[in-house]
Amino acid sequence: MSLPPAPPESDPPGPGTPTRPGRLQMADIARIAGVSVATVSRALNGSTEVSAATRQRITELARSLNYTINISAKNLRLRHNRTVAVVIPYDRQTRLHVSDPFFLSMLGSLADALTDRGYDMLVSRIDADQLENASLSYDSGTALGIILIGQWHSHDQLNRLADQGVPLVVWGAQLPQQRYCSVGGDNLGGGRLATRHLIERGCRRFVFLGDPTTPESALRLRGHQQELAEAGLGPQACRVLAVGFDAARARTEVGRLLEQGVDFDAVVACSDVLATAVVPVLRLHGREVPRDVAVVGYDDIEWASHADPPLTTVRQPVARAGIEMVEALLERVAGRDAPPRTLPVELVVRQSSMR
């Protein structure tokens, strides 16, 4: 049996030629133009966020490659779309991962709230330094709106997305000059609750664990400092360890304080993960919790009550948060205003602070 003749050789594709088989994609246009997919999407949709020169260049490139956006099909998808994109930014500074128990509980709350209303959830992860990509699923018609879990240092970027008309709700703190809808716990009040409780238990020398450059942690620290001031305790009563949400770094920094002989009798942590991470370090240096050092966390994740010792913590309103964020987003999708919402928090007292 003879073999069929070999196909004729062809020149390899040049650097400006799409290499993906099948229909040309927006990502191909972005690669050829040397810009992001978000920039291509906005340019082809006529967004003024992209300069006129860039819009013209991308439009001409798309036309030369016979690439078009079917606007009527996109609008049809958006009208009948039942999918909400839940976006979790990854911030390299805070080191908070999607596997964090608080993130997982928030995703569960959102999934329940969306399912109850007949909507689907699309989860994605993006670099917090490229937050403009959060709108890609909306720009493409894949999702009718965006719920972003985490504000980080992205206030200005979030305002720009809101200015572009992207239906957007953010889990975070209400900030000055905010043009997007945020839903979050009462971080200032939470910081005060935790500190007041520890002062009432006789604590006078505090360590605060968190990242004071992020909005939520900054408000918790402010509440902590306000409560210290009202109790007549000056700034010297608290050491702030800017450890983000990095448990390993929290262990290292607290261990360094203990090795230096720094005297403290209370730890206020911006998450339950940080709080439980430092308990073994305290024990390693001969400090018992709560006899020598009282510890309070934040969030009340599911296993906080099973920690050793069970953890006193500020409970975030996670179940209500999912409902509030979904309702706010649907208001935005319908073209109605959705003002920021601050939800109450509560202190859950357990053994870790009962001196």
Side-chain angles (χ1 to χ4, degrees):
M1 181 176 65
S2 62
L3 295 174
E9 293 185 0
S10 59
D11 294 331
T17 304
T19 57
R20 191 184 316 184
R23 183 178 181 273
L24 190 69
Q25 303 292 319
M26 195 176 289
D28 297 315
I29 304 293
R31 184 174 62 253
I32 296 169
V35 297
S36 69
V37 175
T39 298
V40 172
S41 174
R42 295 193 181 110
L44 296 180
N45 282 285
S47 171
T48 55
E49 279 292 303
V50 180
S51 69
T54 300
R55 287 202 308 271
Q56 181 179 354
R57 180 168 67 90
I58 292 174
T59 300
E60 291 176 352
L61 174 61
R63 188 181 299 116
S64 71
L65 295 171
N66 296 319
Y67 179 87
T68 59
I69 293 180
N70 188 334
I71 298 297
S72 61
K74 176 186 174 183
N75 290 338
L76 182 64
R77 287 197 304 275
L78 286 173
R79 277 199 301 272
H80 297 286
N81 202 327
R82 305 292 292 180
T83 299
V84 169
V86 176
V87 178
I88 305 175
Y90 172 65
D91 189 298
R92 291 181 176 84
Q93 295 180 356
T94 60
R95 301 289 296 269
L96 189 56
H97 296 275
V98 71
S99 58
D100 181 272
F102 178 74
F103 271 160
L104 295 178
S105 61
M106 186 62 76
L107 283 173
S109 174
L110 285 167
D112 290 343
L114 288 166
T115 300
D116 288 345
R117 289 157 181 77
Y119 289 87
D120 296 320
M121 182 171 75
L122 172 68
V123 180
S124 62
R125 189 82 154 133
I126 63 169
D127 191 323
D129 294 331
Q130 299 175 0
L131 202 61
E132 65 276 6
N133 290 334
S135 68
L136 286 178
S137 56
Y138 173 76
D139 291 338
S140 65
T142 303
L144 58 82
I146 311 294
I147 293 177
L148 193 75
I149 305 181
Q151 224 163 0
W152 310 125
H153 305 88
S154 306
H155 183 56
D156 292 338
Q157 291 173 289
L158 294 171
N159 271 340
R160 286 195 293 271
L161 287 176
D163 291 341
Q164 294 163 25
V166 177
L168 174 71
V169 174
V170 179
W171 171 259
Q174 184 175 352
L175 300 175
Q177 290 82 50
Q178 181 171 308
R179 299 190 294 277
Y180 56 91
C181 175
S182 64
V183 175
D186 182 1
N187 294 286
L188 184 72
R192 298 196 68 142
L193 282 174
T195 308
R196 185 183 310 140
H197 168 71
L198 290 169
I199 292 172
E200 290 172 351
R201 306 307 299 179
C203 299
R204 295 295 182 268
R205 299 172 303 280
F206 293 79
V207 170
F208 182 92
L209 300 177
D211 180 2
T213 68
T214 58
E216 291 178 291
S217 295
L219 285 170
R220 294 170 196 175
L221 176 59
R222 188 188 306 171
H224 171 69
Q225 292 169 334
Q226 288 178 358
E227 204 65 34
L228 290 178
E230 290 187 11
L233 301 172
Q236 71 279 1
C238 176
R239 286 178 176 261
V240 178
L241 299 183
V243 297
F245 289 96
D246 188 338
R249 187 176 175 192
R251 286 191 290 266
T252 298
E253 294 301 320
V254 169
R256 183 175 290 119
L257 285 184
L258 293 166
E259 289 167 1
Q260 293 170 353
V262 175
D263 187 24
F264 58 93
D265 58 9
V267 172
V268 176
C270 276
S271 79
D272 292 341
V273 172
L274 294 177
T276 54
V278 301
V279 170
V281 179
L282 292 167
R283 286 177 176 156
L284 185 64
H285 288 81
R287 306 286 189 90
E288 284 300 316
V289 177
R291 184 193 67 196
D292 303 311
V293 180
V295 177
V296 175
Y298 210 102
D299 293 334
D300 195 26
I301 57 178
E302 187 170 349
W303 48 261
S305 62
H306 305 294
D308 181 21
L311 184 65
T312 295
T313 183
V314 177
R315 176 178 292 163
Q316 294 255 50
V318 173
R320 182 177 170 188
I323 295 171
E324 295 280 352
M325 284 191 284
V326 170
E327 289 182 348
L329 180 66
L330 295 180
E331 289 291 310
R332 289 278 184 163
V333 169
R336 295 187 288 268
D337 186 38
R341 311 176 188 192
T342 299
L343 308 179
V345 297
E346 62 178 305
L347 183 72
V348 180
V349 178
R350 300 189 181 103
Q351 187 180 341
S352 71
S353 63
M354 296 301 291
R355 302 179 66 186

